[in-house]
Amino acid sequence: MSAPAEENYELSVTRHIAAPPERVWQVMTERQTEWWCPKPWRAEIIEQDFVAGGRSAMMFKGPDGEEMPQEGIFLEVTTGKRFVSTDACQRDADGNWQPSGPFMIGSWEIEAEESNGVRGTRYTATARHWTQEAHDQHKEMGFEDGWGACADQLVKLCKN
């Protein structure tokens, strides 16, 4: 049983992608540098170990030299369906788990869908926050525009 979205302090974006789930999954996991950040920002992959407990580390780089590290772990990876990660903990240099200032649990999932007679894939990206304050902060940072731009970039890549 899952809690209602409002209790999870949840934000999400969804898109219909006119491509089969296999194609969408391949682009989601193998071409993250091309869609993960809203342009003109870009994502540099440090490590993406797509297994539960695997490291998820990237550096977001801005057009004016800004850098924003993204460090976390995968909580779940169901190949071809979804991956879930969090920034609530990370491994230190010795490989030990350490708590980290949690901001969210992110979930990216896909499923086959037909929309207006077009077969394809339903993509949903969700951010669940620990507090209302973190939820509101993420929303004010431009969640809808930012994650929406990433979803649109994914859509475009999957069509090509």
Side-chain angles (χ1 to χ4, degrees):
M1 182 192 314
S2 63
E6 60 272 8
E7 291 180 25
N8 289 326
Y9 308 112
E10 186 175 285
L11 298 167
S12 68
V13 298
T14 187
R15 296 288 188 275
H16 175 82
I17 302 174
E22 299 79 20
R23 169 75 175 145
V24 176
W25 182 259
Q26 181 266 328
V27 172
M28 282 174 60
T29 58
E30 296 177 19
R31 297 177 66 184
Q32 281 184 300
T33 59
E34 298 175 65
W35 70 273
W36 197 258
C37 281
K39 293 183 186 330
W41 284 72
R42 63 184 178 84
E44 180 180 289
I45 304 296
I46 298 166
E47 182 178 356
Q48 290 294 76
D49 185 11
F50 280 99
V51 297
R55 183 179 183 204
S56 173
M58 293 180 249
M59 179 67 71
F60 291 174
K61 296 195 172 202
D64 297 319
E66 309 94 330
E67 291 190 337
M68 189 167 52
Q70 303 293 308
E71 183 73 42
I73 63 164
F74 287 103
L75 300 174
E76 174 190 344
V77 177
T78 305
T79 302
K81 301 278 184 200
R82 76 189 220 144
F83 57 88
V84 179
S85 66
T86 186
D87 58 354
C89 54
Q90 56 190 335
R91 290 188 192 260
D92 63 19
D94 296 322
N96 298 310
W97 292 109
Q98 298 296 333
S100 179
F103 184 63
M104 68 172 203
I105 294 172
S107 173
W108 294 265
E109 54 191 294
I110 60 171
E111 64 180 319
E113 175 188 76
E114 186 171 321
S115 177
N116 297 321
V118 177
R119 288 186 186 176
T121 304
R122 169 66 50 190
Y123 164 82
T124 304
T126 304
R128 289 188 177 138
H129 304 83
W130 271 259
T131 65
Q132 184 70 52
E133 178 183 46
H135 168 277
D136 294 349
Q137 177 189 6
H138 203 180
K139 190 170 185 166
E140 289 169 16
M141 287 170 54
F143 173 86
E144 287 92 355
D145 290 340
W147 284 43
C150 292
D152 294 340
Q153 290 168 178
L154 177 64
V155 169
K156 185 176 179 181
L157 285 171
C158 290
K159 288 181 179 179
N160 295 334

